[in-house]
Amino acid sequence: MTDRPVGMLDSGLGGISVLAQALRALPRENFVYFGDTANIPYGDKEPEEVLRLTRLGVDRLIGHGCKAIVIACNTATSVAAQQLRSELSLPVIGIEPALKPASLLPGEGQILVLATQVTLRLPKFHALMELYGDHATPVPCSGLMECVEAGQLEGERVENLLRELLSPYLQTPIKAVVLGCTHYPFLKKAIAAILPPGTPLVDGNAGTARQLARRLKEEGLEAPPEHVGGSVTFLSSSPGQEERMQNMLQMALERL
C-alpha cells in the first residue's frame, strides 16, 4: 500500500506547478498526474459540471492504484474537495488561494487575488475572505489560464492581457499578489514585469505539498525509506499530451 503512487489532477497543465513542489518535498513518492485537457477550462463551467469532471478524474487515478488524491486546481478544490472527502476513504488534499500567508506578510497596501471567476464566487473563497481578506481585492482573470495551456508564458498577448487586468489596481500600494490558480505560477515573470518591483507573488503550491506530506504520515501511507521515488506517469483526457506535460514539469522544476 505505501509504495503505491499519489494521484494528482487538474483541468490541464497548471497543476504541474504543484507536482513540481510535491516532487521536491516528497522525493520517495511516485505520482500519477491526470490533466483533463479535453474539458479545459473549469473556471467558466457550472459547479455541477466541475464536480462531475473532477469525479471522473479521481476515478481514473484510483483505477491506477493511487493511495491519495491531490486536487491541484483551485476551482475543482472549491467545488469538489469536500464532497469527495465524504465519498472516499483515501486522503483528498486540495489547494486554495494563498490569502492567509499573503495577509501575514509585512507591509501595507492591497492584496490582489488573481483567480478564475468560479473560484472567486464560491462559498469556500468567501469564507477565506472573511478570515483573511482585509485589504484584499479579488481579480477575476479570464484568459490567463488559456495562455499557459497554449504555451504562451511571455510576449505581447500575455503582456497586453495582464496590463488590462492589473492596470486598474496599480495606482495604489500593493502589498502582495496571490496567484489563485495553479496555472499562474508559470506566468510569474510576466506578472512581475507589470507590478511594482519587489511585489511578492504568493501561491499555495508549497503549502499543498506540505499538507500532502502531513496526511500521508497521519494515515501511515508514506513510502518506506528504501523506496525509490520521483517517477511521474502522465495521463490526459485528450491524446498526445504526455510529452508536453513532461516538458512543463521540467520547466517547473527549473524555474518555479
Side-chain angles (χ1 to χ4, degrees):
M1 177 69 170
T2 58
D3 60 356
R4 287 160 54 184
V6 173
M8 188 172 292
L9 75 154
D10 179 46
S11 60
L13 304 180
I16 293 172
S17 66
V18 185
L19 176 61
Q21 288 284 0
L23 284 165
R24 292 189 189 103
L26 297 161
R28 298 203 308 267
E29 300 295 344
N30 295 318
F31 292 84
V32 179
Y33 181 93
F34 172 70
D36 193 9
T37 49
N39 294 296
I40 202 166
Y42 283 7
D44 61 3
K45 289 180 168 57
E46 291 301 315
E48 294 79 10
E49 178 66 0
V50 174
L51 176 59
R52 185 185 74 82
L53 292 170
T54 305
R55 275 202 183 105
L56 289 174
V58 169
D59 287 347
R60 188 161 177 179
L61 292 172
I62 291 173
H64 277 74
C66 293
K67 63 185 178 183
I69 301 294
V70 179
I71 306 176
C73 171
N74 285 272
T75 297
T77 295
S78 298
V79 171
Q82 184 174 354
Q83 181 64 34
L84 289 170
R85 287 181 187 124
S86 71
E87 297 172 0
L88 301 173
S89 58
L90 71 171
V92 176
I93 294 90
I95 189 168
E96 65 183 17
L99 183 53
K100 179 181 178 180
S103 71
L104 297 175
L105 290 173
E108 302 294 332
Q110 62 182 329
I111 299 171
L112 303 182
V113 184
L114 314 187
T116 69
Q117 295 193 40
V118 171
T119 295
L120 295 176
R121 76 170 188 247
L122 287 172
K124 184 175 177 62
F125 179 72
H126 293 168
L128 199 63
M129 284 287 287
E130 286 288 328
L131 291 172
Y132 308 109
D134 285 350
H135 311 297
T137 302
V139 182
C141 292
S142 296
L144 278 191
M145 178 278 301
E146 288 83 353
C147 290
V148 176
E149 289 290 321
Q152 296 178 325
L153 309 184
E154 301 178 63
E156 186 176 355
R157 177 190 173 189
V158 174
E159 180 181 345
N160 289 342
L161 178 55
L162 285 169
R163 289 196 181 279
E164 179 182 343
L165 292 168
L166 297 177
S167 290
Y169 310 100
L170 299 181
Q171 307 310 312
T172 56
I174 298 174
K175 176 179 174 177
V177 172
V178 174
L179 305 179
C181 170
T182 55
H183 286 76
Y184 299 170
F186 287 105
L187 299 170
K188 275 185 175 181
K189 183 177 179 181
I191 293 170
I194 304 294
L195 298 169
T199 303
L201 302 178
V202 187
D203 65 60
N205 293 356
T208 298
R210 289 192 297 270
Q211 177 65 3
L212 171 61
R214 283 192 293 268
R215 293 291 289 121
L216 292 177
K217 184 174 183 178
E218 289 169 358
E219 298 293 330
L221 294 173
E222 295 173 292
E226 68 278 6
H227 190 251
V228 177
S231 76
V232 180
T233 300
F234 286 108
L235 308 172
S236 176
S237 55
S238 54
Q241 296 295 315
E242 290 77 12
E243 182 178 356
R244 190 160 169 246
M245 289 175 169
Q246 183 62 57
N247 291 338
M248 289 291 283
L249 176 59
Q250 190 60 41
M251 182 192 307
L253 290 169
E254 291 172 357
R255 300 186 189 180
L256 301 185

